């Protein structure tokens, strides 16, 4: 069993509060920073054992902390953590990730590449977040300076739990051995070392510095979503599809479900290929119980009638396409939407005026095998997954990236899977950071020592 009082709360189960602030900062005075961290900030950091304890009083605002490689160096921690992408940082990696024109499209705070650390503060409301942040800033004074902040918030009302394109999120996460109390049908079971450094299953378990046990690398991405443009594109494509059995809106909904691999309700296309069965979406005994394969004469290499090869959830978790045995490239997601819902004016103009999107967070024991692998080797690789009748399934239609160029995805058009759809991505990277979220003991020593 894992020592859950050592693991920060966001890593294995997520802080899961309706509001969350990401506060990125640069350190000016490492000595003062260390002292304030150990004496005043540390007692506010929320652990996994605190979050899962049903009888413990929960703090009004939850706090987690993480640092970049530069930040750790400033705090005098130079041990070889063995993660080359973390050490390089995300700005120099942006082109390889396929980002579209980083100098212009990244938010300046992230592109300046000055981040040393981040405070993740979550709560039911903004007031406890604002007051904890004010307290932390008053303790730290001029020892840090703000670099960037992003306010994430769950959508509300009928869209509670759905991301900005309208799809139910937070359905599929791996179960971590030693932590999960059960496993749902179709959920993958992974070793703790896929997420936690220095744990069983981390390929570098015995090579990392001892203090890295029970921490995790955090990949952050500010991903802007062009929602009216996405919906308008689906309607436009739908109107050209020869299918008199469906209205144009029904055709557009089906195209959207095929892009994600799930309907907006969360129901997998693989279980409901033609019409939504909304009762499946929220049911954890059913909503992952598929693997893209079907009984003979179904041909896994040729048949996209249930789910296209390029669908988002198929590109980033290929299930039977990789023999149901990929345990090395999985991540724990802990993102939250940011920005307000689309306004009437934006719907009328089919154009985004106010930024909204996903504050994407993933945890993994190795950035190159986790977030970065899914982005570069799966979502952006038009040949993945291989061995299909169509050798180029195309980009992940949701976050596949091709620099400033358009992307294409095949199989989405259910009347003609060979008809590739080509479009400018509806998700734009506004930048990100690679950080490390250490264990509670490591925060005290070596980081604050
Ligand atoms: Fe994705 N979306 O709303 O369309 N994602 N994602 N994602 N995603 C998933 O299963 C979305 C992004 C994964 O186990 C669902 O919880 C959007 C990045 C993984 O079957 C939906 C963006 C990366 C899974 C979305 C975005 C991933 C997953 C279904 C960007 C990693 C689980 C709900 C704005 C590099 C797959 C669910 C599995 C599911 C959406 C980004 C990864 C609806 C809008 C950058 C591993």
């Amino acid at each position: 069993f894992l020592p859950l009082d050592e693991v920060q709360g966001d890593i294995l189960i997520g802080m899961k509060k309706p509001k969350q602030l990401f506060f990125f900062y640069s350190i000016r005075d490492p000595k003062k920073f260390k002292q304030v961290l150990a004496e005043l900030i540390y007692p506010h950091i929320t652990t996994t054992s605190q979050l899962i304890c049903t009888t413990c009083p929960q703090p009004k605002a939850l706090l987690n902390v993480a640092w970049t490689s530069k930040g750790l160096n400033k705090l005098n921690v130079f041990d070889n953590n063995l993660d080359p992408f973390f050490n390089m940082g995300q700005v120099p990696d942006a082109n390889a990730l396929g980002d579209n024109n980083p100098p212009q499209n990244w938010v300046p705070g992230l592109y300046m590449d000055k981040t040393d650390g981040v405070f993740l503060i979550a709560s039911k409301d903004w007031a406890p977040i604002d007051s904890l942040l004010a307290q932390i800033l008053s303790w730290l004074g001029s020892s840090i300076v703000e670099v960037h902040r992003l306010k994430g918030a769950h959508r509300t009302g009928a869209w509670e739990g759905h991301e900005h394109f309208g799809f139910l999120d937070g359905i599929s996460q791996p179960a971590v051995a030693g932590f999960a109390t059960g496993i749902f049908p179709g959920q993958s079971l992974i070793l703790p070392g896929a997420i936690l450094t220095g744990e069983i299953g981390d390929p570098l378990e015995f090579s990392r510095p001892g203090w890295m046990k029970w921490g995790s690398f955090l990949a952050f991405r500010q991903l802007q979503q062009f929602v009216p443009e996405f919906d308008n594109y689906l309607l436009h494509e739908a109107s050209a599809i020869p299918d008199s059995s469906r209205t144009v809106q029904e055709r557009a909904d089906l195209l959207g479900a095929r892009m994600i691999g799930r309907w907006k309700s969360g129901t997998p296309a693989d279980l409901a290929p033609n019409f939504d069965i909304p009762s499946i979406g929220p049911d954890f005994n059913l909503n992952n119980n598929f693997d893209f394969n079907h009984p003979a004469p179904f041909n896994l290499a040729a048949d996209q009638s249930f789910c296209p090869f390029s669908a988002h959830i198929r590109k980033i978790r290929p299930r039977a396409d990789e023999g149901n045995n990929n345990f090395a490239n999985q991540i724990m997601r802990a993102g939250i939407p940011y920005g307000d819902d689309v306004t009437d004016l934006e719907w009328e103009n089919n154009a985004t005026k106010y930024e909204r999107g996903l504050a994407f967070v993933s945890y993994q024991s190795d950035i190159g095998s986790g977030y970065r692998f899914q982005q570069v080797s799966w979502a952006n690789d038009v040949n993945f997954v291989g061995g299909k009748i169509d050798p180029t399934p195309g980009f992940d239609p949701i976050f596949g990236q091709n620099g400033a160029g358009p992307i294409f995805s095949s199989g989405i058009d259910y009347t003609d899977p060979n008809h590739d759809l080509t479009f400018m991505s509806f998700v734009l990277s506004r930048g990100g950071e690679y950080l490390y979220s250490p264990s509670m003991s490591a925060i005290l020593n070596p980081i604050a020592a």
Side-chain angles (χ1 to χ4, degrees):
F1 284 93
L2 297 167
L4 298 178
D5 48 351
E6 279 287 0
V7 182
Q8 292 195 58
D10 204 34
I11 299 173
L12 294 177
I13 44 168
M15 295 198 279
K16 290 202 184 79
K17 293 286 173 194
K19 314 270 189 255
Q20 183 170 329
L21 175 71
F22 298 83
F23 184 91
F24 298 88
Y25 58 87
S26 165
I27 300 170
R28 287 275 169 85
D29 179 346
K31 195 164 161 242
K32 174 155 187 205
F33 183 87
K34 279 175 182 271
Q35 186 196 345
V36 172
L37 175 63
E39 288 170 16
L40 298 167
I41 298 176
Y42 183 84
H44 290 269
I45 301 174
T46 313
T47 65
T48 309
S49 43
Q50 243 175 311
L51 282 186
I52 60 173
C53 172
T54 46
T55 52
C56 311
Q58 294 287 322
K60 282 204 175 121
L62 311 178
L63 172 68
N64 269 211
V65 291
W67 288 276
T68 59
S69 171
K70 273 204 293 284
L72 289 180
N73 289 172
K74 265 195 196 169
L75 296 171
N76 224 12
V77 178
F78 291 99
D79 296 334
N80 189 357
N81 54 66
L82 301 172
D83 195 304
F85 296 110
F86 172 70
N87 290 326
M88 174 171 83
Q90 207 179 101
V91 174
D93 204 20
N95 287 324
L97 295 174
D99 281 12
N100 174 356
N101 197 356
Q104 187 188 318
N105 290 323
W106 274 45
V107 292
L110 295 174
Y111 193 69
M112 278 184 320
D113 206 7
K114 295 263 189 284
T115 302
D116 290 322
V118 65
F119 295 122
L120 298 91
I121 313 179
S123 181
K124 208 157 82 40
D125 301 305
W126 285 114
I129 295 179
D130 293 342
S131 95
L132 182 58
L133 179 70
Q135 212 169 16
I136 292 174
L137 294 182
S138 76
W139 292 330
L140 288 167
S142 58
S143 70
I144 64 163
V145 57
E146 177 174 349
V147 164
H148 178 55
R149 71 171 85 185
L150 185 64
K151 291 170 88 168
H154 288 177
R155 300 182 65 197
T156 53
W159 294 109
E160 174 77 52
H162 295 242
E163 53 67 63
H164 278 297
F165 288 144
F167 294 84
L168 187 65
D169 207 351
I171 299 172
S172 184
Q173 297 270 40
V176 173
F179 174 62
T181 46
I183 176 164
F184 291 109
Q187 198 181 13
S188 65
L189 182 65
I190 56 172
L191 290 170
I195 308 297
L196 299 175
T197 49
E199 257 296 336
I200 302 166
D202 171 6
L204 301 172
E205 181 187 353
F206 300 107
S207 321
R208 304 212 194 253
W211 61 265
M212 287 186 76
K213 202 161 178 155
W214 308 312
S216 186
F217 287 101
L218 187 174
F220 172 81
R221 300 278 281 165
Q222 180 169 334
L223 298 173
Q224 181 175 3
Q225 291 173 252
F226 290 86
V227 179
E229 290 84 348
F230 177 75
D231 273 19
N232 192 39
Y233 174 76
L234 292 178
L235 279 174
H236 171 79
E237 286 299 322
S239 64
I241 286 184
D243 176 4
S244 56
S245 70
R246 290 180 171 84
T247 64
V248 173
Q249 185 60 56
E250 283 167 346
R251 288 177 234 164
D253 290 346
L254 180 51
L255 291 180
R258 289 175 68 81
M259 280 194 176
I260 310 291
R262 291 186 184 272
W263 296 84
K264 286 186 174 168
S265 64
T267 298
D270 206 43
L271 295 180
N274 296 312
F275 296 96
D276 190 9
I277 307 173
S279 57
I280 298 178
D283 186 338
F284 280 89
N285 283 307
L286 301 175
N287 61 19
N288 260 309
N289 198 9
F290 64 94
D291 68 359
F292 306 120
N293 208 352
H294 295 270
F298 182 85
N299 182 350
L300 186 63
D303 193 333
Q304 304 191 70
S305 60
F306 287 82
C307 183
F309 303 139
S310 67
H312 175 51
I313 67 155
R314 191 164 183 175
K315 284 285 266 190
I316 37 82
R317 189 175 159 213
R319 302 185 191 224
D321 291 330
E322 287 215 324
N324 283 317
N325 64 1
N326 185 315
F327 305 110
N329 303 115
Q330 300 212 27
I331 56 176
M332 202 56 97
R333 292 174 297 136
I336 184 167
Y338 71 89
D340 293 331
D341 281 1
V342 177
T343 60
D344 291 346
L345 191 71
E346 289 175 292
W347 282 129
E348 264 166 44
N349 296 337
N350 291 321
T352 295
K353 185 159 186 234
Y354 306 103
E355 182 172 344
R356 61 183 61 78
L358 180 68
F360 175 87
V361 170
S362 75
Y363 291 98
Q364 53 271 295
S365 62
D366 182 83
I367 289 171
S369 316
Y371 159 70
R372 199 178 182 284
F373 193 90
Q374 295 199 355
Q375 178 77 62
V376 175
S377 304
W378 285 350
N380 297 357
D381 182 353
V382 299
N383 302 308
F384 185 78
V385 52
K388 300 296 185 197
I389 194 165
D390 178 349
T392 50
F395 291 87
D396 179 323
I398 298 305
F399 79 107
Q401 304 199 122
N402 185 24
I407 61 174
F408 74 89
S409 306
S410 60
I412 307 291
D413 180 347
Y414 57 97
T415 58
D416 177 8
N418 294 319
H419 168 210
D420 289 354
L421 299 190
T422 302
F423 47 90
M424 283 308 293
S425 178
F426 299 102
V427 171
L428 176 71
S429 165
R430 305 277 286 137
E433 291 288 357
Y434 296 144
L435 301 124
Y436 184 70
S437 177
S439 70
M440 294 301 285
S441 329
I443 293 170
L444 289 180
N445 189 6
I447 294 170

